[in-house]
Amino acid sequence: MAARKSAALQLQASLSLGSKAGTLAGAQRIELLEAIGNTGSITSAAKAVGLSYKGAWDAVEAMNNMADAPLVERIAGGRGGGGTQLTARGLALVASYRAAAEEHLRFVEALNQRLKNNSGDLQLLGRLAMKTSARNQLWGRVVRVATGAVNDEVELEIKGGDRIVAVVTHESIEQLGLKAGVDAVALVKASWVILGVDDGGPKLKLSTRNQLAGTVKALTPGAVNTEVAVDLKGGNTLAAVVTNVSAQSLGLKPGVAVTALFKASSVIIGVAG
């Protein structure tokens, strides 16, 4: 399998100010305060930052309640019609946030510079952030996409050269941007994996598209089923759930050679967001 070119990933982070009472202000709330200071109108400020009038006042009241002093105050009506304005504390908070935001941005940019030659690590961190109920997450690279009458076939090459075939819809192909060269993950539930062993008899021909050779790594028996961890040749570990009776009849134990089988329709394809 050819070496993969890591995606140009970068660290991203947001800055917020908090107190013991909770989050006081993030970027949008600071923008709201700035807009109030510039316009003197809660209505205009709300529109400028994409909030409703009520949403803007709710945010202002929440900040006033959590801050050590009011940040926004109403101006009594008169010939000018009244309005809202930032207090001295509000002006100071905005200035402090902007100064902190500049330092924060420089810090993140410096980290990206240090990690730019280790983009593979950033890619790995992105993969680790993925949450899914499927026990088996096999990362690889798309090597083939075949268009069918109703569904399409996606072939993914994983570590060690094993290939996994998945059947997905045309819409999914377009939404995920699947094409040759794209990094993707094959998700397979452990309960969808069937294990087979060679008993020395005639070799069976099976319709199952995915047949991965491996070796039993460990078994975890339960009341009814046994979870079997299978080491694949590329270093991946595949989990399968079989009945206790099947585990015994197949003679499964660490070191036994097995073939893991699962249908192409049982494979879910994902890409890093």
Side-chain angles (χ1 to χ4, degrees), residues 80 124 270:
L124 175 59

Side-chain angles (χ1 to χ4, degrees), residues 130-139 185-193 227 237-240 266-270:
M130 176 182 287
K131 295 182 179 180
T132 172
S133 64
R135 289 293 306 279
N136 298 305
Q137 304 176 31
L138 303 171
W139 283 90
V185 62
L187 306 174
V188 186
K189 294 180 64 175
S191 57
W192 293 342
V193 179
E227 182 179 290
T237 298
L238 188 74
S266 298
V267 180
I268 298 171
I269 297 293

